[in-house]
Structures are given as C-alpha cells and as structure tokens.
Amino acid sequence: MLCTRITNARILTMDPDHPVAHDLGIWHGRIVGLDEAVTSLPAREVVDLQGATVLPGFIDSHVHLAWTGLKAASPTLAGCERIEDALAVVAEAVSRSSAPGAWVHVGGYDQRALGRHLTAADLDRVAHGRKVFLMHTSGHACVVSTAVLDLLPADVPHDDGVLVESAMGAVRRLRLPYSQEELADAVEYAGRRCLSEGITACAEAGIGGGLLGHSPVELGAYQLLRDQGRLPLRVQLMPGADTLRPVGAHERDGIPRGLDLGLRTGFGDDWLSVGALKIYTDGGMMARTAALTEPYEGTDQRGQLQADPDHLASLIVDGHLAGWQLAVHAIGDRAADLALDALERAQALRPRPDARHRVEHAGLIRPDQLPRFARLGLSAVVQPNFLRYFGDDYATIMGPGRAPWMYRGRGFLDHGITLVGSSDRPVTDGSPLRAVQFMVERASTSGRLIGPEEGITVDEALRAYTVAGAYACRWDDTAGSLSPGKRADLVVLGDDPRRVDTSRIGAIEVVATYVDGHEATEGHTP
C-alpha cells in the first residue's frame, strides 16, 4: 500500500524518460512510480490536485540561512534614501540597546541609495558611545562607529569607518561568536521562508569562518535543529576555507590541510551533510570590490582580491588535494582567472574527473573564459535575481561592452557548462520563480534588457533549479527530478511556468511544498 498517491496533476518530472505524468506514488518518503504503475494501487492518502502543476522541489544551491534569520530580526536601513533618515533608524536602534557596552546591529546598508557612504563620525552623532555595526546588504562591507574602531588593531584599513572584505572580517571577529541557539532560531526562520517559495533543499554557503561565518562551532546549530526536529528543509553546509589547518596525515594521503578527522565533502545524510569547501577570491559588485581586469566604468578602480593571489591559489590546490569539492567565490573576471588557473593546476597535480568543482556567482565571465570552464568540468552557480533587482546599476558600472557578460545563461549552456540557479539569500530576493523569469527575459525590474542574447528557455531555467542544482550539490542520485527511487520532495504550483506568459512566471502561486512526501505546512520534520 502506498503512503500517498498524488493524482489529477500536471507533473513535470524533469526526467527525460517520463517528462510529464498525472499520478505519482509515494512510499516512506520516496517516489515509487508514476501513472499506470501506481494509479490502481491502494493508498493511505489520495491527494487530488485538481489539475495543478507539480515540479521537483527547488534547490537553492547558494544561500546564507543564519544571516537571513539574523538580518530579519535586526533594524534595517532598506528604503532609506537620505543620510538623516538612515541615522534616525540607527538612533532608534541605539535607544533600544540595553547597556553602554552593547553592540548595535543594523542591516540593509547600501551607500548607493544614500549617495555616499556613512562614516564613523556620522554614526557617532547618534551612537552615544555604543558599538554600532552597519552591515552592507552585499555582505562585503560595513560601517562602524568610533567605539568599534578603537578596538581594532592599528593595521586594519578603513576609510572613515567604512571597512571592506577582510578588514570587515576583523570587525566581525570582535562580535563573534553567536550562540548555537541564536543561530538555530535564525536558520529555522530562514528555512521556513525557503519552503514557502517551493525550496526543499539548499546549500549554506559558508560556515565556521570566512566573511560570513558566525561561530567556530556553527555546524552544531544545524545539528541542534535536527535533534529538536526543527530543521525545515534539507541543508548542505560549506565550511569556510579558513577552517582548514595543517594535518599530520600519512604522506601517501597527500593531504596538506584539512578538517579534524579528515572530514570532507559528502559526510552526513539526506537531511544534513557537509558540502563543498567555500573559498573567497574577491568581493562584490555592490561594494565595488569584485576583482576586474579592466576598471569599473568611469573610474580607475579594479576591485580587489581577498588575499595574496599565491595564498588563494594554494588554498584551492590544497582543498582539491584533500578530496574536497570546491565552491570558489569569483564574481569579477580577474578573480575568475585566478580560480581557473588554480583549478587547472590542482587537476594536473591530482586528476579528479568527478570533483564537480563550482564557481560561485561567476558574475562577469569573458568569452575567452567559457571554454576553460568547460574543459575543467566546472559548474557556474549564478544568482539571476541580482540582475533582476540590481541590474541597472551593474550594467552601468560594467559599461555596454561588458554588461552582456554578467551572470550568463546561454553562454554557459552552449559551452556545455552546468548552469545552476541560486539566490545568495538574503542579499536579494530568494524566489526561484522570479529568478526563472529573469533567466528567460533578461530584464531588470525597470524593464532594462541586460545581455538579452544570454536568455534561455523556461525548461532550461527550471532545470537550473532542479536537475542542475542536484548535480552541483552531489544529490543527483536522490533529488532534482521526480523519478522512481528519488526523494518525494516536490512543489505544487498554481500554474505551469511553461504555459503562462513569461512576464507572469514570477507571480505564480506556490500552493504547497512537500518534503519526504509530507506537506511542509503539516509541520513534518526529520
């Protein structure tokens, strides 16, 4: 007897052997058959979807769950367009702080909306001696008050309280760590937001270290959720590269650096596992720190690498030698050159044809770099909603010659490169459906077309959030398509993205999300 039979549905399986079905059978969290194979079987529960569309649960291959939850609980400068309005938000947050020594965190900071960066002097006007920390919405910069600057080592660079990239990390280390309970609550909140958008699995892009780690024991927060039955969706965790340290392994193992006990990609189970090793090479376009070969339009600035190029390359090579799948953050084309060179060297030293290394963001990729991506078997993990919401600004700072190279679609696919969809939540909107719409239209919210020749089909865009996401996260044997034997993770939509006008895809209702064959609203947890 089946546990559940879903019937009277338009099921888009993403499986070329059986692309569309009307019935789907579930037994103990797994799909056991489609259509005639299950239609006549008895089931404890029969769910009549009355013609609704069903897809595999979306996979968001690059998110920041803890940051999402913590940001949601913090005051925000989002929507502020005047310096005085921003300082009023900070003043209100300061007034609610409990003690003179307390940290005051405010999110949603973006100098572009204000016309200039805030400074430590600005913050001091309302800080009353408090340690004020404004987090840039990109995650690649911050602004702090003088009370914070006074705690920093003298060699940490800043510009009137504005710190970027590794300098920002010095500030974060003053505040860290968050407790596991704080992080668990934040992750649970973010995970339920994901479920509401049809996402059933995701990859947390950096824990324990790096720019966005929150605690040296951060993995324990996810285990705490799992132990308490509160983990809303499947999560793969990417340790930050700076969590590696020299290990005394046998010389034949060839592991120069690693995590304790040799822990690496693949450890865990279907609900919680260790994924790729996250390595940052450059910054971001919003903060103007993505590393470019040519300057940002109208400036002489080319962004920056996170560290000495040789150091970054050695991290990539050592991670590969230690057996990790690598997730290399590279937004600018200069950072991509570094990543490609290091990955090529790593594969020459120890060939691993199925390493499935990934380039996170791949924000500006020149035409000559595409064949190298393909030769190395890399996946491009892009964030389409970046251009949907920030595309006007990005296209302006790249100029007409480079704008079509941003967050490519067609260029990757035509070179045989696996194109993977993701959000980088909470940097911007996490909706896969709105991202799918952009991947087809290549239009920002203002209607500006950005590299329209990089547009792809609806089927290809849906594949980026299902089949390709499963491949990039090494879940392809259990997820990504609604095929017999795979997990019964699926999303029910109010309409078929392939049949509606492209401009309506982002507004399609997410009717229900199922994980392990149970509707998420029923409170099912592992």
Side-chain angles (χ1 to χ4, degrees):
M1 175 180 286
L2 300 173
C3 296
T4 305
R5 186 174 73 251
I6 290 174
T7 190
N8 192 17
R10 179 172 175 77
I11 303 169
L12 309 181
T13 68
M14 306 305 292
D15 180 347
D17 292 334
H18 196 144
V20 181
H22 52 77
D23 277 24
L24 181 148
I26 300 170
W27 187 72
H28 292 291
R30 296 275 174 164
I31 298 166
V32 295
L34 300 165
D35 292 342
E36 288 73 20
V38 297
T39 300
S40 61
L41 295 179
R44 295 191 184 97
E45 176 188 33
V46 176
V47 179
D48 185 339
L49 290 182
Q50 300 179 1
T53 297
V54 175
L55 278 162
F58 296 127
I59 297 171
D60 191 334
S61 299
H62 185 121
V63 300
H64 300 283
L65 296 177
W67 179 19
T68 298
L70 293 170
K71 181 178 180 180
S74 301
T76 181
L77 298 181
C80 292
E81 297 181 352
R82 300 189 311 139
I83 298 294
E84 293 306 317
D85 292 341
L87 292 179
V89 173
V90 176
E92 173 64 20
V94 167
S95 73
R96 295 200 302 269
S97 64
S98 58
W103 282 83
V104 178
H105 293 260
V106 180
Y109 171 66
D110 189 342
Q111 84 284 357
R112 299 171 305 170
L114 300 174
R116 69 167 175 86
H117 272 298
L118 292 173
T119 66
D122 290 328
L123 296 182
D124 289 345
R125 289 165 47 195
V126 297
H128 302 296
R130 300 292 203 280
K131 297 189 286 269
V132 177
F133 176 89
L134 306 186
M135 180 70 153
H136 196 278
T137 193
S138 69
H140 289 273
C142 67
V143 187
V144 299
S145 61
T146 299
V148 177
L149 293 178
D150 289 344
L151 299 174
L152 290 172
D155 61 348
V156 175
H158 70 89
D159 183 8
D160 293 328
V162 179
L163 299 98
V164 300
E165 306 305 340
S166 58
M168 183 195 77
V171 176
R172 284 175 52 80
R173 285 191 290 275
L174 293 174
R175 164 61 180 87
L176 299 179
Y178 286 86
S179 73
Q180 289 189 353
E181 288 187 358
E182 286 178 282
L183 295 176
D185 289 345
V187 168
E188 182 181 22
Y189 167 86
R192 297 204 177 281
R193 285 277 303 277
C194 290
L195 285 175
S196 72
E197 294 170 342
I199 299 164
T200 56
C202 66
E204 167 68 62
I207 66 165
L211 285 179
L212 295 172
H214 294 89
S215 167
V217 291
E218 194 164 354
L219 189 148
Y222 292 83
Q223 287 187 288
L224 178 64
L225 282 174
R226 178 73 188 273
D227 293 345
Q228 295 176 347
R230 296 165 52 204
L231 188 63
L233 74 171
R234 306 182 196 279
V235 182
Q236 188 179 84
L237 303 171
M238 297 184 195
D242 54 353
T243 61
L244 299 188
R245 60 185 184 181
V247 292
H250 193 283
E251 62 180 14
R252 285 204 301 268
D253 291 336
I255 301 175
R257 280 182 277 191
L259 292 186
D260 289 343
L261 304 178
L263 195 72
R264 60 175 172 82
T265 304
F267 184 82
D269 61 19
D270 277 353
W271 276 94
L272 184 62
S273 61
V274 175
L277 182 71
K278 177 71 177 293
I279 301 175
Y280 288 92
T281 65
D282 71 342
M285 287 189 183
M286 273 188 279
R288 309 311 196 232
T289 53
L292 310 178
T293 53
E294 299 295 331
Y296 289 92
E297 193 79 357
T299 78
D300 59 358
Q301 303 299 312
R302 298 192 304 139
Q304 65 186 72
L305 297 172
Q306 290 284 352
D308 175 78
D310 290 340
H311 171 72
L312 295 173
S314 70
L315 276 178
I316 291 170
V317 171
D318 286 358
H320 173 88
L321 295 177
W324 285 91
Q325 179 189 19
L326 303 179
V328 184
H329 167 116
I331 292 184
D333 61 330
R334 178 158 58 104
D337 279 335
L338 184 152
L340 292 166
D341 289 346
L343 289 166
E344 194 167 55
R345 178 182 161 209
Q347 287 285 16
L349 288 171
R350 181 175 296 171
R352 289 173 51 205
D354 194 37
R356 301 197 196 182
H357 296 322
R358 312 156 36 140
V359 175
E360 308 300 299
H361 308 296
L364 185 73
I365 302 299
R366 303 186 310 269
D368 64 286
Q369 292 173 320
L370 292 170
R372 297 189 69 194
F373 265 74
R375 285 198 303 271
L376 288 166
L378 304 177
S379 295
V381 184
V382 301
Q383 296 76 41
N385 277 334
F386 277 17
L387 290 189
R388 178 177 171 85
Y389 293 98
F390 311 137
D392 292 355
D393 174 57
Y394 284 15
T396 299
I397 62 174
M398 289 299 104
R402 291 179 293 180
W405 303 346
M406 292 191 298
Y407 297 92
R408 290 176 178 271
R410 176 57 53 204
F412 286 128
L413 292 179
D414 284 354
H415 282 79
I417 298 161
T418 301
L419 176 66
V420 184
S422 69
S423 69
D424 205 13
R425 183 194 304 264
V427 176
T428 190
D429 185 352
S431 164
L433 286 172
R434 284 189 280 275
V436 165
Q437 179 176 325
F438 175 83
M439 295 174 89
V440 179
E441 290 182 327
R442 298 287 298 190
S444 71
T445 53
S446 74
R448 180 175 183 172
L449 293 179
I450 304 168
E453 64 275 15
E454 288 292 327
I456 62 177
T457 69
V458 174
D459 278 330
E460 289 167 333
L462 291 173
R463 183 179 178 85
Y465 279 90
T466 54
V467 176
Y471 175 85
C473 295
R474 307 188 75 91
W475 283 327
D476 44 316
D477 58 339
T478 59
S481 66
L482 299 178
S483 308
K486 293 193 175 183
R487 304 188 300 230
D489 296 351
L490 50 94
V491 57
V492 181
L493 302 178
D495 218 328
D496 183 345
R498 304 188 307 182
R499 292 186 168 186
V500 303
D501 186 88
T502 303
S503 63
R504 291 181 49 213
I505 292 174
I508 292 175
E509 179 188 5
V510 175
V511 177
T513 305
Y514 285 74
V515 181
D516 260 353
H518 296 266
E519 188 173 353
T521 55
E522 297 176 356
H524 174 75
T525 51

